[in-house]
């Protein structure tokens, strides 16, 4: 793993994995990671009423 490519440290000093790291790993761990390329844990946008298109 390479700092700045696979991970970085946030303002609180915690290690945060990047999108590139997740893609190299090849699967979603379902921990709602900040840079999840599969979108796990992201809130889906609700459609406005009357917008069926």
């Amino acid at each position: 793993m390479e700092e700045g490519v696979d991970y970085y440290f946030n303002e609180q000093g915690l290690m945060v994995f990047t999108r590139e790291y997740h893609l190299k790993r090849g699967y979603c761990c379902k921990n709602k990671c900040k840079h999840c390329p599969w979108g796990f844990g992201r809130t889906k946008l609700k459609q406005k009423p009357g917008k069926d298109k």
Side-chain angles (χ1 to χ4, degrees):
M1 287 194 342
E2 184 179 343
E3 186 173 359
V5 175
D6 296 313
Y7 67 93
Y8 63 90
F9 291 96
N10 67 10
E11 299 81 28
Q12 292 79 32
L14 300 172
M15 183 186 286
V16 179
F17 291 117
T18 63
R19 181 178 192 277
E20 289 76 18
Y21 171 79
H22 291 291
L23 290 172
K24 285 180 193 176
R25 187 176 60 191
Y27 64 92
C28 179
C29 61
K30 297 184 171 47
N31 284 322
K32 299 182 182 180
C33 298
K34 182 174 183 174
H35 301 292
C36 180
W38 296 280
F40 184 81
R42 290 195 184 132
T43 307
K44 294 182 180 179
L45 297 175
K46 295 181 182 178
Q47 279 190 335
K48 293 181 181 179
K51 299 279 183 180
D52 295 331
K53 295 180 182 180

